[in-house]
Amino acid sequence: MSYTVTIEPTGEQIEVEQDQTILQAALRQGVWLPFACGHGTCATCKVQVLEGDVDIGEASPFALMDVERDEGKVLACCATVQSDVTIEADIDVDEDFEGYSVEDYQATVSELLPLSPTILGVRLKLDRAMQFQAGQYINLELPGIEGSRAFSLANPPSRPDEVELHVRLVEGGAATGYIHQQLKVGDQLSLSGPYGMFFVRNSQQGDLIFIAGGSGLSSPQSMILDLLEQGDSRQITLFQGARNRSELYNAELFEQLAASHANFTYVPALSQAADDSEWQGFRGYVHDAAKAHFDGRFAGHKAYLCGPPPMIDAAITALMQGRLFERDIFMERFYTAADGAEDTQRSALFKRI
């Protein structure tokens, strides 16, 4: 059984199945709703229910407060409908968003490549090409594991018939444990995509800064490869953070890109290199590497951040102290169940960050 959801102020209508969220149905039918994380923690997809019955689902109490629930607000990524519904959404389409519809795909595992002691590279051959923007993610289904898991795409859109993922092993994580310990070349998997609002805003002027930590390198890798393939002339600087050299993966790729592209600079940083006498690069946290490289002055740049919440928060502080503002900073936080709900609360000062 399906219900009709009317989206104001545009008046667009979508059909929503009983087991679908409002956001899932909208994305699959090519209808724009603002969203980011897709799992109830960021509040980007908050909408007002004007008419009808809606189940709010598993929305974080930080992303959707009790007073907002009482007012009839829901998160479109969690909410399911129980009747025909009318909602009001903040429809403000980003001019750089290409709006590819979400579709389902079948994939075959074509390669498993250990990238570091904790990160596995996974390549999947798709049954057909998938259009996406560099920086977006897919939802992957795994045998015997309830629900799907989100993984950012590391390959550029010029390789639309494959998916490259960087998967960090999370202690106690059922999905990442399965990928690291049981997944084999030749296995068949289901996935859907593309999702997400993390992509380069090409309409905005300014040189580009990428700050990545851990497996958060995946989205910046896709974005940088795409920019260089397209012949983008802006100065592009990647700061990659890791604890030690064994965790600093794909460094050779970025060193080669820096050698062959005058407008690309690669700065790796190790936070636990005190006993590594052979390390000649930056010693310290990745946001401190960015401060040292730019002498603490970031004005005129656009920054793209991807990684664990503590890294993101430290980078935002450094960038804003160096004269960047909310409009200049875009990010993708990598949350796991171990991060806890308390880490999902955003600053009340900002709409996006």
Side-chain angles (χ1 to χ4, degrees), residues 41 43 46 59-65 68-69 341-346:
T41 61
K46 192 178 297 178
S60 161
F62 295 99
L64 189 66
M65 295 181 290
E68 293 176 313
R69 298 171 191 231
E342 67 275 7
D343 291 326
T344 66
Q345 189 171 19
R346 299 185 306 164

Side-chain angles (χ1 to χ4, degrees), residues 26-31 98-103 105 130-131 193-194:
L27 294 177
R28 288 179 180 274
Q29 294 169 56
V31 175
E98 295 176 10
Y100 298 120
S101 296
V102 171
E103 298 182 23
Y105 298 86
M130 176 173 64
Q131 290 184 295

Side-chain angles (χ1 to χ4, degrees), residues 8-248:
E8 299 294 355
T10 64
E12 291 180 289
Q13 293 186 326
I14 57 174
E15 295 300 312
V16 184
E17 302 293 333
Q18 280 186 312
D19 59 348
Q20 272 188 317
T21 67
I22 296 172
L23 180 63
Q24 287 172 340
L27 294 177
R28 288 179 180 274
Q29 294 169 56
V31 175
W32 162 253
L33 284 177
F35 74 104
C37 77
H39 51 261
T41 61
C42 77
T44 304
C45 65
K46 192 178 297 178
V47 298
Q48 177 72 51
V49 178
L50 302 178
E51 295 179 3
D53 299 319
V54 176
D55 185 332
I56 64 172
E58 298 181 358
S60 161
F62 295 99
L64 189 66
M65 295 181 290
D66 289 341
V67 64
E68 293 176 313
R69 298 171 191 231
D70 293 340
E71 292 172 349
K73 291 183 172 63
V74 301
L75 302 184
C77 71
C78 297
T80 56
V81 300
Q82 300 169 324
S83 69
D84 291 344
V85 169
T86 300
I87 62 172
E88 184 177 41
D90 183 14
I91 307 294
D92 184 16
V93 181
D94 192 309
E95 64 178 298
D96 293 302
F97 181 57
E98 295 176 10
Y100 298 120
S101 296
V102 171
E103 298 182 23
D104 296 315
Y105 298 86
Q106 294 299 310
T108 303
V109 180
S110 59
E111 185 177 11
L112 297 171
L113 178 65
L115 299 175
S116 82
T118 61
I119 298 174
L120 181 69
V122 179
R123 287 190 174 173
L124 307 173
K125 182 71 174 179
L126 300 179
D127 59 349
R128 65 188 190 283
M130 176 173 64
Q131 290 184 295
F132 67 94
Q133 285 182 263
Q136 291 189 294
Y137 66 89
I138 54 96
N139 280 336
L140 183 67
E141 298 178 15
L142 296 164
I145 296 176
E146 184 178 357
S148 60
R149 298 296 189 274
F151 294 102
S152 293
L153 296 163
N155 54 296
S158 60
R159 302 206 306 266
D161 60 343
E162 73 173 12
V163 165
E164 179 184 343
L165 311 176
H166 300 165
V167 181
R168 179 175 69 90
L169 180 61
V170 177
E171 185 176 356
T176 63
Y178 181 92
I179 291 171
H180 275 253
Q181 298 158 11
Q182 299 183 53
L183 194 65
K184 303 183 300 296
V185 171
D187 284 355
Q188 304 290 308
L189 299 174
S190 299
L191 60 89
S192 62
Y195 298 94
M197 293 296 293
F198 189 56
F199 49 82
V200 175
R201 271 60 178 182
N202 287 317
S203 66
Q204 300 186 17
Q205 296 183 346
D207 292 332
L208 305 175
I209 295 171
F210 292 91
I211 301 178
S215 60
L217 180 67
S218 51
S219 289
Q221 175 175 305
S222 175
M223 298 157 96
I224 291 167
L225 289 174
D226 185 45
L227 288 165
L228 295 178
E229 286 178 3
Q230 299 300 323
D232 197 290
S233 61
R234 287 171 290 185
Q235 290 297 314
I236 303 167
T237 306
L238 168 64
F239 298 93
Q240 181 187 4
R243 288 173 297 179
N244 50 56
R245 274 194 291 167
S246 67
E247 293 287 352
L248 189 74

Side-chain angles (χ1 to χ4, degrees), residues 323-344:
R323 304 301 294 168
L324 286 193
F325 302 95
E326 183 186 5
R327 65 177 182 269
D328 305 313
I329 302 172
F330 306 89
M331 64 177 192
E332 186 89 299
R333 279 188 173 96
F334 275 23
Y335 287 111
T336 70
D339 291 318
E342 67 275 7
D343 291 326
T344 66

